[in-house]
Amino acid sequence: MAKVRISSVIDAPVEKVWARIRDFNGLPAWHPRMVESHIEDGKAATDIGAVRNFKVASGATIREKLVAFSDGDHLTTYSIIGHPAPISSHTSTLRLERVTDGDRTYAVWTAEFDAPADKADDIAKGMGENVFQGGFNALKNHFAGNG
């Protein structure tokens, strides 16, 4: 099983960062690689089992299912159920924690998935750098007033 873990500190209070990212359908509003998204079957974006169907800037379509959500814990967990890469058994969690020094946010985005042995490292690297770190960089820029 391949694993990815990326963390970052964002210079904004956890409540503000969570307000920006908590909408499971809101990726295009804060992540530069995501260009459009919709929740299937009329479910709410915070309903466990909701499926978001979104496109990335490259044109690929990805479907993800919300499996856990907590406003109190500032946490969302989802699984990929449709992706052009050869992955399966994927689960990702994005969690925010309060940093009391300067009222900042510690963000951790993790993933576990199965992939062919010859592709797993490249997929994990791309997911970590392009998706997770790219999202954190966009959040940092937004809260610094640059985005």
Side-chain angles (χ1 to χ4, degrees), residues 6-133:
I6 302 292
S7 63
S8 191
V9 174
I10 300 167
D11 288 325
V14 70
E15 294 82 9
K16 287 186 178 184
V17 178
W18 183 245
R20 180 102 176 126
I21 68 169
R22 75 177 292 276
D23 179 359
F24 189 57
N25 194 40
L27 276 175
W30 64 271
H31 199 298
R33 296 182 56 87
M34 313 309 166
V35 295
E36 65 182 61
S37 178
H38 71 275
I39 299 292
E40 297 177 357
D41 300 326
K43 292 192 179 227
T46 56
D47 287 349
I48 302 303
V51 174
R52 70 177 165 200
N53 186 321
F54 64 96
K55 287 191 178 181
V56 296
S58 67
T61 298
I62 300 171
R63 294 177 69 236
E64 297 174 335
K65 183 176 184 177
L66 185 64
V67 296
F69 177 88
S70 174
D71 279 326
D73 294 327
H74 306 110
L75 174 138
T76 185
T77 299
Y78 58 91
S79 60
I80 293 178
I81 57 175
H83 191 282
I87 62 174
S88 62
S89 303
H90 170 277
T91 301
S92 280
T93 297
L94 176 53
R95 178 179 42 91
L96 306 179
E97 295 181 16
R98 184 178 324 279
V99 176
T100 55
D101 176 21
D103 200 19
R104 299 178 294 164
T105 299
Y106 177 68
V108 179
W109 207 339
T110 61
E112 292 185 355
F113 58 91
D114 291 324
D118 63 331
K119 298 187 184 314
D121 287 346
D122 287 340
I123 293 169
K125 183 178 179 186
M127 188 179 293
E129 292 176 0
N130 299 325
V131 180
F132 298 176
Q133 191 62 56

